[in-house]
Amino acid sequence: MRKNSIKNTRINGEVQRELSKIISQEIKDPRIHPLTSVIEVIVAPDLKTCRAYISVLGDEEARKNTLLGLKNAEGYIRKQLAASINLRNTPEIRFIMDNSIEYGINMTKKIDEEMKKINDAN
């Protein structure tokens, strides 16, 4: 299977949807921040592993606690994923913190501040 095949893209999307649902609705760990998003999921072509990029809208402490909570719940998440998606192998999930949403929000704020300064000067 090619890396960017249609099948692999479809599997990535399905795993991402299910992971989002499991994290937001089924896990009751208080360490996991309520504003946790699954940004992207990349499943290996052999379906043995996957990298899940997670974004947490909060401070550094919330990010660390969320990552710890997700790593502790990894077995449960994998079991739920196996029950909801019919794959030959259920991939081993590795959670990776992604700060792209927070970066985008900060950049938007900075742009808005600069635009306000320019408008106020005129």
Side-chain angles (χ1 to χ4, degrees):
M1 180 171 24
R2 291 186 329 263
K3 184 174 183 176
N4 293 327
S5 70
I6 293 170
K7 181 180 178 183
N8 200 8
T9 303
R10 198 178 74 236
I11 290 171
N12 289 344
E14 186 65 26
V15 170
Q16 180 178 353
R17 267 190 303 281
E18 289 301 320
L19 270 179
S20 295
K21 189 177 94 177
I22 291 167
I23 290 171
S24 66
Q25 298 173 1
E26 297 180 23
I27 296 180
K28 305 294 186 226
D29 192 332
R31 291 178 292 182
I32 297 175
H33 197 272
L35 295 175
T36 300
S37 304
V38 179
I39 303 299
E40 183 179 15
V41 172
I42 301 173
V43 179
D46 63 357
L47 305 176
K48 300 256 188 222
T49 61
C50 89
R51 293 185 312 247
Y53 293 91
I54 304 296
S55 178
V56 177
L57 198 58
D59 60 351
E60 188 62 34
E61 185 72 23
R63 285 189 207 106
K64 281 196 291 186
N65 287 338
T66 299
L67 209 51
L68 278 173
L70 288 173
K71 287 184 182 189
N72 279 359
E74 196 173 303
Y76 174 78
I77 293 171
R78 192 172 179 195
K79 180 179 157 195
Q80 294 301 105
L81 196 61
S84 61
I85 298 179
N86 187 15
L87 292 174
R88 181 181 48 213
N89 297 318
T90 304
E92 182 180 322
I93 305 163
R94 194 174 84 207
F95 293 103
I96 301 168
M97 192 56 65
D98 183 358
N99 296 325
S100 61
I101 290 178
E102 185 177 358
Y103 177 78
I105 290 171
N106 287 335
M107 289 306 289
T108 303
K109 284 181 185 176
K110 288 179 182 179
I111 291 170
D112 290 344
E113 288 171 6
E114 290 300 317
M115 290 303 290
K116 187 175 183 211
K117 288 179 186 176
I118 291 171
N119 289 336
D120 289 343
N122 291 331

